[in-house]
Amino acid sequence: MELMIAVAVIMVKVVLITVILFIVPVPLTWLERKIAGHIQQRMGPMRVGWHGLLQPVADGLKLLTKEDNIPDQSDRVLFKIAPFVALVPPFMVFVAVPFGEDVSILGYETPLYLSDMNVGLLYILAVAGLEIYGVIFGGWASNSKYALLGSLRTCAQLISYEIPMGFAVIGVIMLSQSMNLSDIVDAQEPLWFIIYQPLGFFIFFIAGLAEAQRIPFDLAEAEGDLGAGYHTEYSGMRFSFFMISEYLVMLTISVLCVLLFFGGWHGVLIPLPAPIWLALKVGFFIYLFMWFRFTFPRYRYDQLMSIGWKVLVPLSILNILITGIFIY
Amino acid sequence: MSNQPLRELLQRESIQQRCESVYETFGMLTLTVSKENLLALCHLLKHDSALQFNFLSDICGVDHYPQRPRFETVYHLYSIPFKYRLRIKCRFELDELPPSVVPVWQTANWHEREAYDMYGIAFVGHPDLRRIYMWEGYDGYPMRKDYPLRGYADHYNPFGEARSERTEGA
Amino acid sequence: MYNENALDRISREHRWIGVTFFLDLINGLSLTFKYMFSKSVTMQYPDREKWVPYPRHRGHHVLRRDENGENKCVACELCAKICPCNCITVVPYEDENGKRRPLVYDVDMARCLYCGLCEDSCPEEAIALGSVFEYSSYTSEELVVGRDSLLEMDGKTGDPGSVVKARYLPLAQCTVEAQESSGHDWWRFIHRKD
Amino acid sequence: MANLENRFSNNVFFGTVDSVINWSRSSALWPETFGIACCAIEMISAGCARYDLDRLGVVFRPSPRQSDVMIIAGTVTKKFAPIVRLLYDQMTEPRWVIAMGTCAISGGVYNTYAVVQGSERIVPVDVHVPGCPPRPDALIHGILMLQEKIKKQHVLRRKDPQETGKVSP
Amino acid sequence: MTDISLLSKNEAGQKLTKELLLNLGPQHPSTHGVLRIMLELDGEEIRGVDTIIGYLHRGTEKLAENFTYTQIIPLTDRLDYLCAPSNNLAYVLAVERLLEIKAPERAQYIRVMMAEMARISGHLLISGALPMDLGAMTTLLYVMREREMIMDLMEMITGARMHTSFCRVGGVREDLPDGFEPRCREFCHVMKQRIDDYERLISENRIFLKRTRDIGKISGEQAIDWGLSGPCLRASGVSWDMRRDNPYEIYDRLSFEVIVRENGDCYDRWKCRMDEMRESVKLIEQCLDQMPAGPVAVAMPDIAFPLNKITVKSSMEAMIHHFDVSAYGFPVPKGEAYVSIEAPKGELGFYIISDGSPKPLRMKVRAPSFINLQALAVLARGCYLADVIAIIGSLDPVIAEVDK
């Protein structure tokens, strides 16, 4: 019986998380368009539903019923699987992400995560890195020069920004003495790590912007020079998978920022349920991402690389040194 | 602005012997020149320290269809240091083409390509003489007077003239 | 050169401070943030509001009537001659009073430049370019407008140069019905207070 | 999904599905960023703050694969005509075309050797928006007309025999 | 240490890699129309540039030979469609030179004012489009918002938002409407603050600086040699502005500064336009201040349409003139004239050859964008792919004007 309940709970959680993750991009696209609108003194979607709330639904349905075009000279297999390869890693990341402390539902104590790995952080960084394959496959299989250039840029960018990102996290691990995400959050109970690790957070955030391919690092789909970048040739449903994956990566980075540096679900002053605090903080970061997008231009490819290797990597090593001295 | 100082400067022998006539129309001095002297004159006008016509405003091809010689190129020069403006005209038939002035002014490149595209004036010594507006293989030179305004009738343009009405030389 | 604010001054005088603390980026972010909470300048065209163009607007052609309600046009064909794109066709006839009138007066909206030369050349001030601009069509043949529909078009009416309330009627040829003036001035929106 | 078109008989259920699909298609029309001449500037104006096409769910996509509607905004010359056709072919079904401005509809004043006399000769045009250039309001009106047209289409149901000819709205 | 470049060669020293040919355009989000550029890429670095134009060649010059002088006016609008009044002005000045007439003073002020408004509208668009090509989309939205004000004023004066066709040979079409001056002053007031806003948003931004500083550099002598004009030339340190050096209309009565910058890179060209907009706002204000009363067109019934149609009907002579001018145009004395003005993009010249008939024998447009765009091949060599976008944006070509 115990086992049955445990399995059932896990199943429920899996379904819940999957559904939530599939749904989250819907309000996010609406939010992005609304934020863009208001920053630009426009209104954003207005006609579909109340203040355009149903706009993402209409977009999604339309993309679903659109012709799924596969270019003639493309590598068909890779072209078909690329969107799924891009879509799966962000889902896998959330296996190890805790959303709050243990709660008791119907007298049954359950933790608010799927799997409490003791190397959760490592797992997340590793799995998130897999997303590159979708992009590479997509760009390569399209047999289009724009897509190829876009995917080449993405590869180089993602790989080189993984390094400072990983290094930046080391400071956090040193402070919390654990790679388990709930332990890290618990270690921030008295004081958030942003206080101890401002440099670390800064590096992590910049690298996160690059990992999520948002402006000023959105070279993969730089409209200005590459048309639509690696998904130039994608249409309909497959294109929407890339979009969902993009939003989920953004969500992942925001969640990580909050868990690692901003105290996770621990609130300040106002007592609110843990997941709500988490959602609020994540929402702030997502807003930050969007705010940046509509304010800044983008870097050039070589400038991006030099920032990654010449600025962020040395800084992150410095951060580790400082943290080491500090702890010692 | 009075053209008198410029007129006096152009009285010099080195310029006079290279051009055919100097006259003023509607406020601008005009030199007519034969195609043999064109390049030398342009060189002189650009590098003379008192003139310094370093800015080539425009090259214009003209088709005086029934008259002979039929074609003409018109060069508008400007001297940024002295603010003079000058027009050079060179008239010729298609069998005796004018030289390219790209060695003197780089900017002449596209101007001459345009004149070639529109009138078929193939400048001698141009580094990269291709059509610029119409596509390669386009039939005819559209700005010539005997080319119909609406072109020849085709799928895209049913208002054009029939191909049989095509006149000689277009 | 331009009115600097405090952040600008700091970043200009001590460039390294600006660079280190990202004052340049913060400056831009603060501007976009400020705009985010300002009122939007959008005119909600099909659903709520509609712009009535200025009196000189050059839109759909209009044939005017004189005080007796008759067509002012005397079919002198000047408009057809001056039109750079030959989009006006006029065929004259003589009516019962012995006056020259247009039998056919077709304007090809699909070719017109809306340059206003016909309006200028008309000695009777019969043809004019009106303020109607919503005349998209599904076929290009519909865009050749004849004499009678030109006479029916209303001329330069309404409260020109302002935004009026409007209602969208989707089924009836997607017309946007203009209602009474809301006294709303587009320029007021755009003028941000200092 | 597009290959499902017109394979089902006319009944209530498919009618409802039809209207939902049509609703989604008409309220998410993504045009290409495809400006040719003067009209493109008015198209940009329509997308900007004062008129804001985003209100209607219209966002510009840089890739033809991801766009639903092509707004031909400007003069189509003979040199450019093959590219217009190519872009149209690259768009995925269902797709629509708006000819914006007199140059695109009929060639306008440019009845010359270089200009295509009407983009209808190259691609099937759904909505004509006259004007030189049309005001942004007029373009919005054209998009509204297109939306109405889309809403009357049948996606899943078989077309009536009378309708098999030219789809008239 | 082995030289890395050797790895891409075989034993015989032949290169094993080859350049990637990338076709930018003709339909591309940031080529500003239907420009096509063939790029030879080595990685992301550019080895060769071939600019292919003509996708918007509409035969304006050929058409003009078949039109009367009045009918050509609407054609000139569509050359540089961002700043139609400037084109109108240049064209009518050329015809007026041939006719040896001058427009009344009020008409000249109106023309100059509108040309300056057009300059602001043209510069606005490009100063928003350049950051947008580099990713900062919001700037474009902000500049378009202000551009709508100009469009509004244009509609108020002329009835059309973009293609004004307002200048006529010997004057302008109509007088300014009531209520224009307060609106225009309001616009000037707002505009000054808004230019500060753009500068705040973009001009100090480190990313923008990195993307535009020292990109696409050209020296003054080279710029002259390549025939650059307008802001592109002035950004390279050559102080040449036709409004000051060869004043036309009433520019000699207005005071303004010619903006000159030293570096000649993308940033300087962009900044030059920003500062020119400030000067233009001042010029508009000066025009409004100095605007004299009087007629707006010459009283020559054989050339200009009478504005008041009652005069046409009152006298037989006027009626005949009106019919003549409308139906057949007016003859222009035999001769040739080249008149150029300082358009927003540079030197805009109209060269008209008249054979004494009501239609020109030849009309040549010296289109500044056409010449400026030519320099792209020089500027882009050795840059990166993304820089090409910035360079095109900073050269500010309007393809309709390039292709004519």
Side-chain angles (χ1 to χ4, degrees):
Chain A
M1 195 59 204
E2 282 279 287
L3 190 74
M4 287 280 282
I5 293 176
V7 169
V9 165
I10 286 176
M11 288 307 285
V12 166
K13 279 197 284 194
V14 166
V15 169
L16 211 65
I17 286 179
T18 317
V19 167
I20 287 175
L21 286 185
F22 259 117
I23 289 175
V24 156
V26 173
L28 280 188
T29 44
W30 179 80
L31 207 66
E32 174 142 35
R33 282 168 79 166
K34 272 294 184 196
I35 286 174
H38 283 281
I39 279 183
Q40 294 158 354
Q41 288 206 302
R42 304 183 281 128
M43 294 189 142
M46 284 299 283
R47 294 191 86 220
V48 192
W50 183 81
H51 279 250
L53 258 178
L54 290 178
Q55 188 65 51
V57 180
D59 284 350
L61 247 173
K62 184 210 74 177
L63 283 172
L64 213 68
T65 58
K66 227 172 142 49
E67 181 192 349
D68 178 23
N69 182 71
I70 297 170
D72 210 22
Q73 309 213 320
S74 62
D75 188 329
R76 284 173 167 267
V77 181
L78 280 187
F79 190 87
K80 280 181 185 164
I81 62 167
F84 299 97
V85 175
L87 189 63
V88 170
F91 279 87
M92 282 162 68
V93 163
F94 280 89
V95 168
V97 172
F99 295 101
E101 282 155 343
D102 298 0
V103 288
S104 59
I105 300 162
L106 304 173
Y108 186 81
E109 193 90 352
T110 176
L112 275 181
Y113 46 75
L114 271 182
S115 159
D116 187 19
M117 295 181 202
N118 53 4
V119 286
L121 197 51
L122 206 59
Y123 167 80
I124 286 176
L125 286 180
V127 171
L130 286 179
E131 199 234 343
I132 309 175
Y133 286 103
V135 175
I136 296 174
F137 288 175
W140 174 258
S142 301
N143 194 24
S144 153
K145 284 174 187 169
Y146 285 120
L148 181 66
L149 276 175
S151 72
L152 275 178
R153 285 178 175 190
T154 320
C155 282
Q157 175 184 342
L158 291 190
I159 290 170
S160 43
Y161 275 80
E162 293 263 286
I163 296 163
M165 199 170 181
F167 279 7
V169 171
I170 291 178
V172 174
I173 298 170
M174 285 160 84
L175 282 178
S176 61
Q177 304 283 330
S178 166
M179 281 223 216
N180 183 311
L181 277 170
S182 7
D183 287 354
I184 291 174
V185 173
D186 285 339
Q188 296 179 55
E189 178 100 58
L191 208 51
W192 295 355
F193 281 166
I194 176 77
I195 310 292
Y196 300 118
Q197 292 274 330
L199 189 60
F201 166 70
F202 171 74
I203 296 161
F204 186 83
F205 186 67
I206 303 277
L209 273 175
E211 288 281 307
Q213 291 164 36
R214 304 287 295 185
I215 279 183
F217 304 108
D218 72 330
L219 295 180
E221 43 190 312
E223 274 182 23
D225 34 333
L226 289 186
Y230 63 90
H231 55 60
T232 303
E233 297 288 338
Y234 280 89
S235 60
M237 216 164 55
R238 293 177 205 281
F239 164 67
S240 69
F241 281 177
F242 274 122
M243 289 311 265
I244 292 174
S245 136
E246 211 182 297
Y247 278 107
L248 287 184
V249 172
M250 190 167 90
L251 188 72
T252 315
I253 303 289
S254 307
V255 168
L256 282 183
C257 276
V258 173
L259 290 183
L260 297 179
F261 296 97
F262 281 81
W265 50 81
H266 297 305
V268 267
L269 302 175
I270 316 150
L272 282 174
I276 291 184
W277 258 115
L278 188 74
L280 278 178
K281 288 180 190 172
V282 169
F284 169 75
F285 275 97
I286 286 174
Y287 173 71
L288 214 57
F289 273 96
M290 292 174 179
W291 186 13
F292 279 17
R293 170 163 177 196
F294 294 104
T295 308
F296 296 143
R298 66 173 73 85
Y299 274 110
R300 203 174 61 200
Y301 178 60
D302 61 318
Q303 291 165 349
L304 173 97
M305 294 313 261
S306 68
I307 289 173
W309 290 101
K310 292 183 188 158
V311 180
L312 290 188
V313 171
L315 271 184
S316 56
I317 293 170
L318 186 74
N319 184 45
I320 296 171
L321 272 177
I322 293 172
T323 317
I325 295 165
F326 177 74
I327 290 173
Y328 179 76
Chain B
M1 201 173 78
S2 166
N3 281 316
Q4 202 50 41
L6 178 59
R7 189 183 265 271
E8 276 157 24
L9 283 169
L10 292 175
Q11 292 300 324
R12 260 177 301 157
E13 202 178 323
S14 54
I15 294 172
Q16 281 296 323
Q17 64 182 228
R18 285 197 168 86
C19 61
E20 287 164 353
S21 65
V22 184
Y23 60 93
E24 191 175 332
T25 51
F26 293 99
M28 197 183 291
L29 276 174
T30 308
L31 301 181
T32 52
V33 63
S34 69
K35 66 176 184 54
E36 288 82 17
N37 289 329
L38 178 65
L39 204 55
L41 183 74
C42 287
H43 220 270
L44 195 70
L45 289 173
K46 185 183 177 186
H47 295 290
D48 189 298
S49 57
L51 291 169
Q52 292 194 34
F53 280 103
N54 50 2
F55 190 84
L56 174 70
S57 274
D58 189 29
I59 296 177
C60 170
V62 187
D63 177 12
H64 299 273
Y65 170 46
Q67 299 168 23
R68 300 253 147 185
R70 181 172 169 183
F71 290 99
E72 189 176 51
T73 46
V74 185
Y75 303 79
H76 286 101
L77 309 185
Y78 187 77
S79 152
I80 289 181
F82 301 110
K83 308 189 193 349
Y84 298 139
R85 227 175 235 296
L86 181 68
R87 177 186 298 139
I88 301 176
K89 292 169 87 170
C90 173
R91 201 128 175 208
F92 53 89
E93 277 293 338
L94 266 193
D95 46 358
E96 33 178 75
L97 289 160
S100 164
V101 294
V102 176
V104 189
W105 298 283
Q106 289 279 350
T107 174
N109 192 325
W110 276 20
H111 285 298
E112 289 182 352
R113 276 178 70 186
E114 188 195 343
Y116 167 69
D117 191 6
M118 293 288 120
Y119 289 99
I121 304 168
F123 293 88
V124 177
H126 189 280
D128 178 29
L129 202 61
R130 283 176 294 152
R131 280 192 174 270
I132 189 162
Y133 287 147
M134 310 314 288
W135 55 97
E136 288 296 328
Y138 182 79
D139 186 18
Y141 299 100
M143 281 295 282
R144 288 190 181 178
K145 286 281 174 194
D146 50 6
Y147 192 88
L149 166 68
R150 307 208 155 92
Y152 300 115
D154 61 14
H155 170 62
Y156 293 141
N157 188 3
F159 305 104
E161 285 178 18
R163 185 59 66 156
S164 58
E165 290 170 28
R166 190 176 167 180
T167 45
E168 183 230 345
Chain C
M1 205 65 209
Y2 72 100
N3 309 326
E4 294 172 288
N5 59 17
L7 279 175
D8 281 326
R9 228 178 1 261
I10 294 168
S11 66
R12 201 167 286 243
E13 283 162 14
H14 307 281
R15 218 178 139 67
W16 67 272
I17 301 181
V19 172
T20 324
F21 292 101
F22 298 92
L23 287 191
D24 51 337
L25 301 185
I26 290 167
N27 216 340
L29 283 173
S30 67
L31 183 83
T32 44
F33 194 72
K34 199 171 74 189
Y35 272 124
M36 179 154 171
F37 293 101
S38 65
K39 208 164 161 41
S40 77
V41 297
T42 308
M43 188 178 69
Q44 299 193 46
Y45 163 55
D47 301 316
R48 299 238 181 103
E49 292 152 331
K50 182 181 173 177
W51 172 257
V52 179
Y54 287 107
R56 291 182 182 181
H57 181 255
R58 307 206 293 256
H60 196 294
H61 297 246
V62 171
L63 271 179
R64 292 218 188 98
R65 293 170 192 274
D66 60 9
E67 49 275 19
N68 304 330
E70 262 189 90
N71 190 352
K72 266 184 168 182
C73 176
V74 293
C76 63
E77 297 178 57
L78 276 190
C79 45
K81 284 206 174 107
I82 202 167
C83 182
C85 30
N86 306 322
C87 69
I88 305 179
T89 318
V90 187
V91 177
Y93 79 105
E94 216 166 84
D95 69 0
E96 53 274 21
N97 303 332
K99 278 187 178 163
R100 212 173 128 101
R101 291 282 174 228
L103 179 67
V104 175
Y105 197 105
D106 281 352
V107 181
D108 189 354
M109 295 292 163
R111 254 198 201 276
C112 180
L113 271 184
Y114 304 91
C115 60
L117 283 178
C118 48
E119 202 179 23
D120 285 6
S121 70
C122 184
E124 296 289 329
E125 294 184 308
I127 182 95
L129 295 167
S131 58
V132 176
F133 52 80
E134 299 149 309
Y135 46 98
S136 314
S137 76
Y138 292 116
T139 60
S140 55
E141 290 84 42
E142 280 172 42
L143 287 171
V144 182
V145 183
R147 180 192 63 186
D148 297 334
S149 20
L150 284 175
L151 278 168
E152 272 165 31
M153 296 297 295
D154 50 347
K156 310 195 172 191
T157 51
D159 184 11
S162 69
V163 178
V164 296
K165 277 186 192 149
R167 196 156 58 95
Y168 177 48
L169 310 166
L171 291 173
Q173 272 292 312
C174 356
T175 42
V176 181
E177 185 189 67
Q179 291 164 334
E180 81 283 6
S181 167
S182 58
H184 160 115
D185 185 6
W186 183 73
W187 281 69
R188 209 190 56 215
F189 269 170
I190 203 149
H191 194 128
R192 182 167 53 98
K193 294 208 176 55
D194 304 321
Chain D
M1 196 80 170
N3 53 1
L4 294 180
E5 293 206 3
N6 298 322
R7 290 208 187 153
F8 296 86
S9 58
N10 209 345
N11 68 35
V12 179
F13 171 71
F14 289 129
T16 322
V17 174
D18 253 12
S19 61
V20 169
I21 291 176
N22 282 338
W23 165 79
S24 77
R25 283 178 177 177
S26 67
S27 37
L29 279 173
W30 293 359
E32 255 173 277
T33 42
F34 177 49
I36 306 177
C38 335
C39 293
I41 306 295
E42 289 295 65
M43 191 167 81
I44 298 173
S45 287
C48 287
R50 187 179 176 186
Y51 294 98
D52 190 16
L53 277 178
D54 200 9
R55 275 180 306 128
L56 316 173
V58 175
V59 283
F60 289 91
R61 293 295 318 169
S63 167
R65 301 269 187 221
Q66 294 146 18
S67 44
D68 315 292
V69 51
M70 177 157 86
I71 302 180
I72 306 178
T75 324
V76 181
T77 60
K78 285 185 195 168
K79 191 173 180 181
F80 196 57
I83 291 144
V84 174
R85 180 72 218 186
L86 180 72
L87 283 170
Y88 179 75
D89 290 341
Q90 280 178 343
M91 283 164 66
T92 46
E93 290 279 353
R95 53 195 169 182
W96 296 276
V97 179
I98 295 179
M100 181 185 181
T102 52
C103 293
I105 301 175
S106 70
V109 69
Y110 296 103
N111 193 348
T112 61
Y113 56 91
V115 175
V116 176
Q117 299 302 305
S119 48
E120 269 178 312
R121 290 169 199 284
I122 313 164
V123 289
V125 178
D126 292 277
V127 175
H128 302 260
V129 185
C132 193
R135 300 175 57 87
D137 326 41
L139 176 64
I140 292 177
H141 183 248
I143 290 173
L144 292 175
M145 298 258 295
L146 182 61
Q147 290 186 343
E148 292 307 316
K149 182 171 180 171
I150 293 168
K151 279 180 189 159
K152 285 169 194 149
Q153 279 180 345
H154 300 270
V155 185
L156 298 175
R157 289 172 294 164
R158 184 170 290 125
K159 278 179 200 154
D160 293 336
Q162 290 88 357
E163 279 187 24
T164 44
K166 193 167 188 189
V167 184
S168 64
Chain E
M1 239 179 90
T2 46
D3 187 359
I4 294 172
S5 63
L6 287 179
L7 292 177
S8 61
K9 291 177 181 160
N10 64 8
E11 288 93 46
Q14 286 163 325
K15 271 176 85 180
L16 294 174
T17 55
K18 64 174 184 183
E19 274 84 18
L20 178 75
L21 264 185
L22 188 73
N23 180 16
L24 214 66
Q27 189 270 325
H28 191 272
S30 56
T31 49
H32 295 235
V34 289
L35 175 65
R36 179 174 171 212
I37 304 163
M38 293 296 290
L39 294 170
E40 228 173 84
L41 291 179
D42 179 11
E44 290 230 359
E45 222 174 300
I46 282 149
R47 290 275 176 266
V49 183
D50 187 9
T51 320
I52 300 167
I53 59 172
Y55 287 97
L56 198 52
H57 176 65
R58 311 186 270 203
T60 307
E61 290 176 358
K62 181 90 177 171
L63 208 54
E65 289 174 12
N66 293 274
F67 277 4
T68 63
Y69 285 97
T70 317
Q71 286 176 330
I72 294 173
I73 294 170
L75 275 188
T76 59
D77 282 331
R78 285 150 183 87
L79 284 172
D80 180 356
Y81 43 72
L82 294 177
C83 13
S86 303
N87 303 347
N88 293 163
L89 175 59
Y91 168 72
V92 295
L93 280 179
V95 181
E96 281 171 10
R97 173 77 59 87
L98 280 168
L99 287 164
E100 290 177 314
I101 56 172
K102 251 191 175 328
E105 223 170 65
R106 187 177 170 84
Q108 292 192 15
Y109 272 100
I110 294 175
R111 286 174 180 185
V112 166
M113 189 183 69
M114 286 184 61
E116 290 305 321
M117 269 155 65
R119 188 185 310 277
I120 296 179
S121 102
H123 281 358
L124 263 183
L125 191 77
I126 198 62
S127 53
L130 174 61
M132 194 191 83
D133 292 342
L134 304 180
M137 189 175 135
T138 305
T139 326
L140 181 78
L141 275 285
Y142 287 166
V143 301
M144 288 305 279
R145 184 188 57 198
E146 271 73 75
R147 200 169 169 274
E148 283 297 323
M149 299 168 86
I150 300 177
M151 294 290 103
D152 225 56
L153 290 175
M154 288 285 184
E155 191 191 324
M156 202 169 173
I157 307 174
T158 71
R161 283 161 54 89
M162 282 172 73
H163 296 329
T164 52
S165 313
F166 197 59
C167 294
R168 290 284 186 269
V169 177
V172 291
R173 189 171 174 229
E174 282 171 279
D175 205 348
L176 293 176
D178 297 337
F180 170 75
E181 200 186 320
R183 277 275 153 95
C184 193
R185 285 197 190 276
E186 193 185 337
F187 160 72
C188 294
H189 178 70
V190 173
M191 194 63 214
K192 281 180 199 156
Q193 308 163 359
R194 295 292 160 87
I195 299 173
D196 293 347
D197 271 3
Y198 313 143
E199 298 244 346
R200 192 174 149 201
L201 186 63
I202 266 310
S203 72
E204 291 286 312
N205 189 312
R206 68 182 66 193
I207 308 173
F208 186 72
L209 289 180
K210 258 200 157 169
R211 287 298 304 275
T212 52
R213 275 264 168 90
D214 293 326
I215 305 292
K217 242 178 144 164
I218 190 163
S219 70
E221 288 92 68
Q222 250 193 321
I224 292 174
D225 197 29
W226 280 99
L228 295 184
S229 52
C232 297
L233 182 64
R234 288 194 284 273
S236 298
V238 181
S239 172
W240 176 46
D241 191 318
M242 303 259 262
R243 292 175 292 174
R244 183 196 62 196
D245 297 338
N246 301 68
Y248 48 93
E249 298 288 74
I250 42 110
Y251 273 111
D252 43 357
R253 298 183 212 171
L254 308 173
S255 73
F256 62 99
E257 218 178 298
V258 175
I259 310 292
V260 180
R261 295 183 72 84
E262 291 308 315
N263 264 331
D265 52 16
C266 288
Y267 181 76
D268 274 7
R269 287 192 279 271
W270 180 82
K271 184 85 176 152
C272 209
R273 295 200 174 94
M274 275 293 178
D275 293 341
E276 267 182 26
M277 283 198 286
R278 292 206 175 83
E279 295 301 317
S280 289
V281 172
K282 280 187 213 156
L283 281 170
I284 293 174
E285 281 180 337
Q286 287 178 40
C287 282
L288 284 176
D289 290 340
Q290 299 179 9
M291 185 83 69
V296 293
V298 285
M300 292 172 77
D302 51 342
I303 288 171
F305 294 124
L307 288 166
N308 194 348
K309 296 286 161 58
I310 297 165
T311 52
V312 176
K313 286 194 187 168
S314 60
S315 98
M316 197 61 212
E317 198 189 3
M319 182 77 125
I320 292 169
H321 276 311
H322 182 79
F323 268 66
D324 235 28
V325 175
S326 302
Y328 308 109
F330 49 86
V332 165
K334 201 172 166 168
E336 54 198 317
Y338 177 83
V339 174
S340 56
I341 67 161
E342 183 71 30
K345 310 278 186 286
E347 183 194 347
L348 173 68
F350 274 82
Y351 176 50
I352 298 178
I353 306 178
S354 162
D355 54 357
S357 71
K359 292 174 180 177
L361 177 82
R362 171 85 165 104
M363 185 186 92
K364 172 81 193 331
V365 188
R366 193 263 182 213
S369 304
F370 175 68
I371 317 300
N372 290 355
L373 185 63
Q374 189 182 186
L376 176 67
V378 198
L379 296 179
R381 210 166 290 148
C383 289
Y384 288 91
L385 171 60
D387 292 338
V388 177
I389 306 301
I391 293 169
I392 298 172
S394 74
L395 283 177
D396 187 11
V398 171
I399 304 301
E401 193 184 39
V402 172
D403 290 347
K404 287 178 272 199

